[in-house]
Amino acid sequence: MQKIVQRTLHQEVTGQIREMIRAGVLVRGQKIDEKQIAESMGVSRTPVRESLRVLHSEGLIDLIPHKGAYLTQPRVEEVQDMFEVISVLEGTCARLAAKKMTGKDLKELESLHSTLEKHFRKRNHEAYLECNHLLHLRIQQLSGNKVLNDVLNSLRQKVLLH
C-alpha cells in the first residue's frame, strides 16, 4: 500500500500546466495568460503565479519583468546538451542498479527489454516510447539514489515538454 501524498494547490496547478505543455495546449514562445488559466482551473491567480515560478526554476517558463510569462523556446543545442547529461547520469544509474538488483529485478528488466524489442519490430512508436520510459525509470529506481533519480526526472521532464 502506498501513502497518499497530499499536494498543495500550486502543486496541482503546476501539474496541470505541465500537462497543457505536454499536450500542446501551450506552445513554445506563447505568452501564458495567468488570468485565463486561473479562471479555467477555478483558482485565484496566486497559485498560478507560484506555479509559474516553479516552472521557471525548472527552465520551462521565462518570466520577463513587466511583460509576463512565456513558454521557453530551447535551442537545439540545449536539448542536445541535456541528452548528453542524461546519458552520463543513466550510466551511473545502471552501474548502481547492477550492484543492487536481485534476480527478480533482472528478470523484470529483461521482460521490459523484450517488450521494447517487440514494439520496435512492429514499429509501434508510441508503445516503444512508453516501454522505453518504463525501462529507464525502473533502472533509475533500482539505483537506489534519490538525488540521481530526482535530477534525471527533472531533465527528462524538461526534454519531454520541449
Side-chain angles (χ1 to χ4, degrees), residues 46-154:
T46 300
V48 174
R49 286 186 186 120
E50 290 174 30
S51 296
L52 294 177
R53 282 193 289 276
V54 168
L55 295 168
H56 173 70
S57 73
E58 295 174 2
L60 298 174
I61 301 286
D62 289 325
L63 295 176
I64 302 170
H66 310 295
K67 295 208 178 204
Y70 294 82
L71 195 56
T72 59
Q73 292 183 304
R75 296 183 333 273
V76 170
E77 296 81 14
E78 288 176 297
V79 175
Q80 288 171 334
D81 289 348
M82 284 187 268
F83 275 116
E84 285 178 2
V85 172
I86 288 171
S87 69
V88 170
L89 296 177
E90 284 186 336
T92 301
C93 279
R95 282 188 294 284
L96 291 170
K99 291 178 186 175
K100 297 175 181 179
M101 77 173 68
T102 64
K104 181 181 174 187
D105 295 330
L106 180 59
K107 286 187 189 301
E108 179 186 2
L109 292 178
E110 287 172 338
S111 174
L112 280 168
H113 189 264
S114 176
T115 302
L116 185 69
E117 288 179 328
K118 179 184 76 173
H119 294 312
F120 179 80
R121 282 191 305 276
K122 291 183 176 183
R123 296 186 178 354
N124 186 340
H125 301 294
E126 289 296 319
Y128 176 88
L129 290 173
E130 177 64 25
C131 187
N132 185 58
H133 175 72
L134 292 174
L135 177 64
H136 285 260
L137 191 61
R138 186 63 184 126
I139 293 169
Q140 268 179 242
Q141 292 166 342
L142 290 170
S143 78
N145 186 315
K146 183 182 178 342
V147 173
L148 189 57
N149 198 25
D150 290 347
V151 169
L152 271 167
N153 285 340
S154 176

Side-chain angles (χ1 to χ4, degrees), residues 21-43:
I21 296 167
R22 192 198 63 71
V25 174
L26 297 173
V27 295
R28 287 180 239 172
Q30 177 180 349
K31 183 174 182 179
I32 297 169
D33 186 340
E34 287 179 21
K35 184 179 177 187
Q36 187 273 327
I37 288 177
E39 288 174 0
S40 71
M41 292 184 189
V43 299

